[in-house]
Amino acid sequence: MPAWGNPHQVQNDDSWKLVLYIRSLRPLTKQEHLQQAQASASAHYVGSQACEKCHAEIYEHWQKTPMANTIRDPSRHPDAIIPDLATNNVYKFSKDQVAFVYGRIWKQRYFTKVGDDYFPLPVQWEVVNKKWSKYQVPPTEGDWWAPFYPGDNMHRPTGPLCDGCHSVGYDIRTKQVAEWNVGCERCHGPGSEHLAHPTRDNTLNPAHMNYVEASDTCIQCHSQGQPLSNPIEGKYYDWPVGYHVRLKLADYWTLEDHTLGEPENFFYFPDGTAHKNRMQGNDFVQSVMYRRGVTCFDCHDVHGTSNYAELRKPASALCLDCHGPSSPNGPRTATIEEHTHHKEGSAGSQCIACHMPAIETEGPANTMVHAHTFRFITPAMTEKYNIPNPCTSSHTDKTSAWANNAMRRWNESSPWRLGQNPASN
């Protein structure tokens, strides 16, 4: 094999071939799986920094990712608080009250510590909109757990509602964590045995698991659902208590249910596409990609890349590895331009523009993230179910009827798949 300077950063065909080569290596034997299970049972957490000695390059990139910086302590990171607190007229608080800062991309929230619990202050900074706003989950018609907690944020501890996904090894009894943020051992299991004797059979690697176990590693936190047993010791948890990598997530967690065609609700649009963020898993398990064995990390590298959303390659380049022109996987046209009806390289010709529209809200206005069902939402679906479609989401001055009429002239597209009835023309 040739040498690559930095396959985690240089996103070109060679680095992608290396990824595919590594994925193609011999899978673990039954004996190696047994050794992994035994090592996991006896191992304890050592923290991500212990991994740096042998995996320095990966560790360096991971440190800069959102996974590594979900929660920040302002006493250790003076730049953690983004806005000027003096501009806050929604709910006044001081830096000394903040034990942890949560988030820095879409919105930022502030946790204060009382005893051995953390609580969210009733205010947030909208990063994109550069404004303060109230933060309080309504008691009804929102998150399922809200009716089980008083409306006051100071009676809603982050332990049962947040911390299980924002840490490694959260203990529901001691309320202690092995490490804050999504560290190495969140995906690779406790590392003491591997640290003492580094071999591939005493650490867990989702890349060596079947596609369900592999994607469960991500879906455990990137989904909306409920634990199968709830309450747990008198408290209602909004994360899969007891689950860890390699186990079957469905034994601990059930995704929020949806009935096709029912009106838009807090979680879903009528077609089952997620309505809000932290539901990438709810979307993905519906997709053909998932059914064909594609995993989350076939596209994303949580160790860090130079691309948006830690993608292994820029989005369209990544899609075209499997869906190039005339590919049996589609599109079935000679060029991308023929398929998209937009100039190649334009915004409208990007794969994610139509197949992963940014229609899922992060909460504050103007904060939308991409759907992960990979379905094309047609203008006809907008008219029938009031689901945003990528055509009029981009051409905001146009109507779904205009988009529908334009697509009638796309001869290579099935009118039935587009929800059109040619006989009515």
Side-chain angles (χ1 to χ4, degrees), residues 105-107 128-129 264 269 274-278 280 308 356-372 388 393:
I105 298 175
W106 307 106
K107 69 259 184 182
V128 173
N129 301 318
E264 177 185 325
F269 289 110
H275 182 269
K276 62 193 294 292
N277 189 36
R278 214 197 87 184
Q280 291 90 348
Y308 172 76
M356 299 184 69
I359 60 173
E360 302 182 5
T361 180
E362 268 281 355
N366 307 314
T367 56
M368 309 299 284
V369 294
H370 292 275
H372 278 69
S393 294

Coordinates of all heavy atoms in Angstrom, one line a residue, residues 105-107 128-129 264 269 274-278 280 308 356-372 388 393:
I105 N -23.0 25.9 17.4 CA -23.2 26.0 16.0 C -24.6 26.6 15.7 O -24.6 27.6 15.0 CB -23.2 24.6 15.3 CG1 -21.8 24.0 15.5 CG2 -23.5 24.7 13.9 CD1 -21.7 22.6 15.0
W106 N -25.7 26.1 16.3 CA -27.0 26.7 16.1 C -27.5 27.5 17.2 O -28.0 28.6 17.0 CB -28.0 25.5 15.8 CG -27.5 24.5 14.8 CD1 -27.1 23.3 15.0 CD2 -27.5 24.8 13.4 NE1 -26.7 22.7 13.8 CE2 -27.0 23.6 12.8 CE3 -27.9 25.9 12.6 CZ2 -26.9 23.5 11.4 CZ3 -27.8 25.7 11.2 CH2 -27.3 24.6 10.6
K107 N -27.4 27.0 18.4 CA -27.8 27.8 19.6 C -26.8 27.4 20.7 O -26.2 26.4 20.7 CB -29.2 27.5 20.0 CG -29.5 26.1 20.5 CD -30.1 25.2 19.5 CE -30.4 23.8 20.1 NZ -31.0 22.9 19.1
V128 N -27.0 31.7 14.9 CA -27.2 32.2 13.6 C -27.9 33.6 13.6 O -27.5 34.5 12.8 CB -28.0 31.2 12.8 CG1 -28.4 31.8 11.4 CG2 -27.3 29.9 12.6
N129 N -28.9 33.8 14.4 CA -29.7 35.0 14.5 C -29.1 36.1 15.3 O -29.5 37.2 15.4 CB -31.1 34.7 14.9 CG -31.8 33.7 14.0 OD1 -31.7 33.8 12.8 ND2 -32.5 32.7 14.6
E264 N -48.8 16.7 10.3 CA -47.5 17.1 10.8 C -47.6 17.2 12.4 O -48.6 17.8 12.9 CB -47.1 18.4 10.2 CG -45.7 18.9 10.8 CD -45.4 20.3 10.2 OE1 -45.7 20.5 9.0 OE2 -44.8 21.1 10.9
F269 N -43.1 15.0 9.6 CA -44.0 15.4 8.6 C -44.9 14.2 8.2 O -44.6 13.1 8.6 CB -43.2 15.9 7.4 CG -42.5 17.2 7.5 CD1 -41.1 17.2 7.6 CD2 -43.2 18.4 7.6 CE1 -40.4 18.4 7.7 CE2 -42.5 19.6 7.7 CZ -41.1 19.6 7.8
A274 N -38.4 13.4 9.3 CA -38.3 14.1 10.5 C -38.6 15.6 10.4 O -38.3 16.2 9.4 CB -36.9 13.9 11.1
H275 N -39.1 16.2 11.4 CA -39.5 17.6 11.4 C -38.4 18.4 12.2 O -38.4 19.6 12.0 CB -40.9 17.8 12.1 CG -41.4 19.2 12.2 ND1 -41.1 20.0 13.2 CD2 -42.1 19.9 11.3 CE1 -41.7 21.2 13.0 NE2 -42.3 21.1 11.8
K276 N -37.6 17.8 13.0 CA -36.7 18.5 13.8 C -35.3 17.8 13.9 O -35.2 16.6 13.4 CB -37.2 18.7 15.2 CG -37.5 17.4 16.0 CD -38.3 17.6 17.2 CE -37.6 18.4 18.3 NZ -36.5 17.7 18.9
N277 N -34.4 18.4 14.4 CA -33.0 17.9 14.5 C -32.9 16.8 15.6 O -33.8 16.6 16.3 CB -32.0 19.0 14.7 CG -30.6 18.5 14.6 OD1 -30.3 17.6 13.7 ND2 -29.7 18.9 15.4
R278 N -31.8 16.2 15.6 CA -31.5 15.0 16.4 C -32.4 13.9 16.1 O -32.7 13.0 16.9 CB -31.6 15.3 17.9 CG -30.6 14.6 18.8 CD -31.0 14.5 20.3 NE -31.9 13.4 20.5 CZ -32.4 13.2 21.7 NH1 -32.2 14.0 22.7 NH2 -33.2 12.1 21.9
Q280 N -31.7 12.3 12.9 CA -31.1 11.7 11.7 C -31.3 10.2 11.6 O -31.5 9.6 10.6 CB -29.6 12.0 11.7 CG -29.2 13.5 11.4 CD -29.1 14.3 12.7 OE1 -29.5 13.8 13.8 NE2 -28.6 15.5 12.6
Y308 N -17.8 20.0 5.6 CA -19.0 20.3 6.3 C -19.6 19.0 6.9 O -19.6 17.9 6.3 CB -20.1 20.9 5.4 CG -21.4 21.0 6.1 CD1 -21.7 22.0 7.0 CD2 -22.5 20.2 5.7 CE1 -22.9 22.2 7.6 CE2 -23.7 20.3 6.3 CZ -23.9 21.3 7.3 OH -25.2 21.4 7.9
M356 N -31.5 15.6 0.1 CA -31.4 15.8 1.5 C -31.7 17.3 1.8 O -30.9 18.0 2.3 CB -29.9 15.5 2.0 CG -29.5 14.1 1.8 SD -27.8 13.8 2.4 CE -28.1 13.9 4.2
P357 N -32.9 17.7 1.5 CA -33.2 19.1 1.7 C -33.1 19.5 3.2 O -33.4 18.7 4.1 CB -34.7 19.2 1.3 CG -35.2 17.8 1.4 CD -34.1 16.9 1.1
A358 N -32.7 20.8 3.4 CA -32.6 21.3 4.8 C -33.9 21.8 5.3 O -34.3 23.0 5.2 CB -31.6 22.4 4.8
I359 N -34.8 20.9 5.8 CA -36.1 21.2 6.2 C -36.4 20.8 7.6 O -37.6 20.9 8.1 CB -37.2 20.5 5.3 CG1 -37.0 19.0 5.3 CG2 -37.0 21.0 3.8 CD1 -38.1 18.2 4.6
E360 N -35.4 20.4 8.4 CA -35.6 20.0 9.7 C -35.0 21.0 10.7 O -33.9 21.4 10.6 CB -34.9 18.6 10.0 CG -35.5 17.6 9.0 CD -34.9 16.2 9.1 OE1 -34.1 16.0 10.1 OE2 -35.3 15.3 8.3
T361 N -35.8 21.5 11.6 CA -35.5 22.7 12.4 C -34.6 22.4 13.6 O -34.8 21.3 14.2 CB -36.8 23.4 12.9 OG1 -36.4 24.6 13.6 CG2 -37.7 22.5 13.7
E362 N -33.7 23.2 13.9 CA -32.9 23.2 15.1 C -33.6 23.9 16.3 O -33.1 24.0 17.4 CB -31.5 23.7 14.9 CG -30.5 22.7 14.4 CD -30.0 21.9 15.6 OE1 -30.3 22.2 16.7 OE2 -29.2 21.0 15.3
G363 N -34.7 24.5 16.0 CA -35.4 25.3 17.0 C -35.5 26.8 16.7 O -36.6 27.2 16.2
P364 N -34.5 27.5 16.8 CA -34.5 28.9 16.4 C -34.8 29.1 14.9 O -34.5 28.2 14.1 CB -33.1 29.5 16.8 CG -32.6 28.5 17.8 CD -33.2 27.2 17.5
A365 N -35.3 30.3 14.5 CA -35.6 30.6 13.1 C -34.3 30.5 12.3 O -33.2 30.8 12.9 CB -36.2 31.9 13.0
N366 N -34.4 30.1 11.1 CA -33.2 30.1 10.2 C -32.2 29.1 10.5 O -31.0 29.2 10.1 CB -32.6 31.5 10.1 CG -33.6 32.6 9.7 OD1 -34.4 32.4 8.8 ND2 -33.5 33.7 10.5
T367 N -32.5 28.1 11.3 CA -31.6 27.0 11.7 C -32.1 25.7 11.2 O -32.9 25.0 11.9 CB -31.3 27.0 13.2 OG1 -32.5 26.9 13.9 CG2 -30.6 28.3 13.6
M368 N -31.8 25.3 10.0 CA -32.3 24.1 9.4 C -31.2 23.1 9.1 O -30.1 23.5 8.7 CB -33.1 24.4 8.1 CG -34.2 25.5 8.3 SD -35.5 25.1 9.5 CE -36.4 24.0 8.6
V369 N -31.5 21.8 9.3 CA -30.5 20.8 9.0 C -31.1 19.8 8.0 O -32.3 19.8 7.7 CB -30.1 20.0 10.3 CG1 -29.3 20.9 11.2 CG2 -31.3 19.4 11.0
H370 N -30.3 19.0 7.4 CA -30.6 18.2 6.3 C -31.4 16.9 6.6 O -31.0 16.2 7.6 CB -29.4 17.8 5.5 CG -28.7 18.9 4.8 ND1 -29.1 19.4 3.5 CD2 -27.7 19.8 5.2 CE1 -28.4 20.4 3.2 NE2 -27.6 20.7 4.2
A371 N -32.4 16.5 5.9 CA -33.1 15.3 6.0 C -32.2 14.1 5.6 O -31.3 14.3 4.8 CB -34.4 15.3 5.2
H372 N -32.4 12.9 6.2 CA -31.6 11.8 5.9 C -32.4 10.6 5.4 O -31.9 9.4 5.6 CB -30.8 11.4 7.2 CG -29.5 12.2 7.4 ND1 -29.6 13.5 7.7 CD2 -28.2 11.9 7.3 CE1 -28.3 14.0 7.8 NE2 -27.5 13.0 7.5
P388 N -42.5 20.6 3.0 CA -41.7 21.5 2.2 C -40.9 20.6 1.1 O -40.4 19.6 1.4 CB -40.7 22.1 3.1 CG -41.3 21.9 4.5 CD -42.1 20.7 4.4
S393 N -38.5 25.5 -1.9 CA -37.6 25.9 -0.8 C -36.5 26.7 -1.3 O -35.9 27.6 -0.7 CB -37.1 24.7 0.0 OG -38.2 24.1 0.7

